[in-house]
Amino acid sequence: SSLSAGTGGLVLYDLTSSAPHNKEFSPHCVKTLMDLKLLDVGYDRQRLTFTQVRTDLAKRVGDNAATVPTLELSDGTHLQDSWLIANWLANHHPKGNALFPFPSSRPFAASLNAWGRSNFAAQLRSLTRPPIHDSLTGESKIYFEQVKVGKQKLEKMRAMTQAERDQQIQNCIVALEPIQDALAAVRESHNASAGSLSTVPLWLEGDQEPTHADFCVYGWYVHSRSTGPTITREIWHALPLVSQWVNALNAWAGNEITKDF
Amino acid sequence: SSLSAGTGGLVLYDLTSSAPHNKEFSPHCVKTLMDLKLLDVGYDRQRLTFTQVRTDLAKRVGDNAATVPTLELSDGTHLQDSWLIANWLANHHPKGNALFPFPSSRPFAASLNAWGRSNFAAQLRSLTRPPIHDSLTGESKIYFEQVKVGKQKLEKMRAMTQAERDQQIQNCIVALEPIQDALAAVRESHNASAGSLSTVPLWLEGDQEPTHADFCVYGWYVHSRSTGPTITREIWHALPLVSQWVNALNAWAGNEITKDF
């Protein structure tokens, strides 16, 4: 079965804007990129447009509803959905435990994963969709406008006033309070244990390395980057610990990943 | 210092509707009630109205901005804010570790605590404030209307159409997805470890007893109860694992606590 395959010979199918660009903006693909980096797993990275996902990848996976990220194992089976991929890596890679190091890491990461999708994204959406639409061409652009978002909704987003846009930015900052408070609690724990770690922890679970919990949130930071540097700064650098965390994760991810944001 | 006081002789100042009622609707007081139950700590419970908080408690604490829950220690010092109280109990009660049993329990609970305040409450607010206003009399009713909520906002909430109310209920259900997904992840972990626990875990951190993380969410369930049984059922029993979790926590809390909801 696919679950007995190793982590050698992997292919990661990832989303990008229209060729020849290499823009990374999928919140979910970023989670998998970061998981693979944490575990230092090698893979062949295939960048696909929306159109290529719906044609080439759908054909390869044998599912018209194929999505990215898709991880192709060496035996030809496919894993879809960043959460399922993280669980597979956790269960099958020798160091997989690093993704979910503690007994409640899975529910913590799952709650952040759903927070991104159901709470934060609801506030962010109207700011990211117009610029993502701008970055696409051809069939991908038509699909994004007509199927994924809807022509009328996209036009409404484009027609927002500056005041409405500012309100959405404020809503995004409020929606980030769970992340700010989690990072503050990590520092409280660190201070209570009086320096059992040599340095103040930077990551959401307070460990020496980031974990899947961090990546579930970071995916939405990367997605936000499609709004450009000004709005990204307004949202992600308003709360001091979130700002520090973003900077630390950008450094951890390294230029090989961040050059595409 | 207050931090060297023991957990004997505690007084808990808690919120209620106008006397002689004993209705419990403060999301934050519930968190402390549940913390104290988990640790099996005895205390004298003082139920206060909004007016009594702003007069009697403010005087006792020596702070006009006094809030509930307030925990009075045997040496006469006061702890305010459910998060600070939980941390104090965790650090000073012999079994305090039960509130935050794992290395990432504090950031997990802190993120849920902020999720309640900044994400879920924003959707719930317009449904709970009119019935809470109805349950108050005298100065408390005037304070709630004019200071805490604002007369115009409260009138707008009362004037909502059924369609608008239904939309808010749907928004609340979407906002609960992080809780549903966390509970699903607990079950995934349980299944992956092939029954290392004898029974399927019910709580957010997957442990044998609920933890402060559960209580941070449960406070908002109790707060929701002010809307009456129909809306409470629509919101909290729409997602199957959340529904099961609510039922389990109600049973765990017991009649002594739940009779006041």
Side-chain angles (χ1 to χ4, degrees), chain B residues 90-107:
Chain B
N91 295 339
H92 292 86
H93 189 276
K95 294 179 184 170
N97 197 44
L99 294 171
F100 302 109
F102 305 124
S104 59
S105 291
R106 272 183 173 81

Side-chain angles (χ1 to χ4, degrees), chain B residues 46-63:
Chain B
Q46 298 285 339
R47 313 294 303 272
L48 306 177
T49 63
F50 278 117
T51 302
Q52 290 171 318
V53 170
R54 291 161 52 81
T55 55
D56 302 353
L57 185 66
K59 198 171 166 184
R60 191 165 182 94
V61 173
D63 180 359

Side-chain angles (χ1 to χ4, degrees), chain A residues 152-169:
Chain A
Q152 213 180 340
K153 279 191 184 165
L154 195 63
E155 277 167 9
K156 210 175 150 187
M157 290 170 184
R158 286 196 185 280
M160 283 204 304
T161 64
Q162 189 58 46
E164 286 169 334
R165 218 176 292 272
D166 288 344
Q167 183 59 56
Q168 285 310 116
I169 291 169

Side-chain angles (χ1 to χ4, degrees), chain B residues 51-173:
Chain B
T51 302
Q52 290 171 318
V53 170
R54 291 161 52 81
T55 55
D56 302 353
L57 185 66
K59 198 171 166 184
R60 191 165 182 94
V61 173
D63 180 359
N64 282 333
T67 54
V68 282
T70 287
L71 195 64
E72 184 177 281
L73 308 185
S74 58
D75 66 1
T77 48
H78 294 93
L79 293 171
Q80 304 211 307
D81 182 289
S82 64
W83 181 258
L84 293 181
I85 293 171
N87 271 280
W88 184 83
L89 290 168
N91 295 339
H92 292 86
H93 189 276
K95 294 179 184 170
N97 197 44
L99 294 171
F100 302 109
F102 305 124
S104 59
S105 291
R106 272 183 173 81
F108 187 13
S111 75
L112 294 172
N113 206 35
W115 162 89
R117 183 188 73 230
S118 61
N119 291 268
F120 185 68
Q123 308 303 331
L124 183 66
R125 194 168 288 146
S126 61
L127 301 168
T128 51
R129 286 179 163 177
I132 289 172
H133 184 241
D134 291 342
S135 76
L136 304 173
T137 60
E139 289 291 331
S140 286
K141 196 179 190 93
I142 294 166
Y143 161 76
F144 189 80
E145 180 177 354
Q146 300 190 352
V147 180
K148 195 162 168 69
V149 182
K151 197 173 162 65
Q152 213 179 342
K153 279 191 184 165
L154 196 62
E155 276 167 11
K156 209 174 151 188
M157 290 170 183
R158 287 197 184 280
M160 282 203 304
T161 64
Q162 189 58 47
E164 286 168 334
R165 219 176 293 273
D166 288 344
Q167 183 59 55
Q168 285 310 116
I169 292 169
Q170 287 310 309
N171 292 351
C172 286
I173 296 169

Side-chain angles (χ1 to χ4, degrees), chain A residues 141-195:
Chain A
K141 197 179 190 91
I142 294 167
Y143 161 76
F144 189 80
E145 178 176 357
Q146 301 191 351
V147 181
K148 193 159 170 70
V149 182
K151 197 173 163 64
Q152 213 180 340
K153 279 191 184 165
L154 195 63
E155 277 167 9
K156 210 175 150 187
M157 290 170 184
R158 286 196 185 280
M160 283 204 304
T161 64
Q162 189 58 46
E164 286 169 334
R165 218 176 292 272
D166 288 344
Q167 183 59 56
Q168 285 310 116
I169 291 169
Q170 288 309 310
N171 292 351
C172 285
I173 296 168
V174 170
L176 278 171
E177 287 182 17
I179 312 309
Q180 168 75 13
D181 283 17
L183 291 166
V186 164
R187 280 157 183 76
E188 286 170 20
S189 298
H190 175 74
N191 294 341
S193 65

Side-chain angles (χ1 to χ4, degrees), chain A residues 46 67 86 88 108 111 128 130 137 170 176-177 179 191 213 223 228 253:
Chain A
Q46 298 284 339
T67 55
W88 183 83
F108 186 14
S111 74
T128 51
T137 59
Q170 288 309 310
L176 278 171
E177 287 182 17
I179 312 309
N191 294 341
H223 188 66

Side-chain angles (χ1 to χ4, degrees), chain A residues 104 106 117 177 189 205, chain B residues 104 106 117 177 189 205:
Chain A
S104 58
R106 273 183 173 79
R117 182 188 73 228
E177 287 182 17
S189 298
E205 295 203 79
Chain B
S104 59
R106 272 183 173 81
R117 183 188 73 230
E177 287 181 19
S189 298
E205 295 203 78

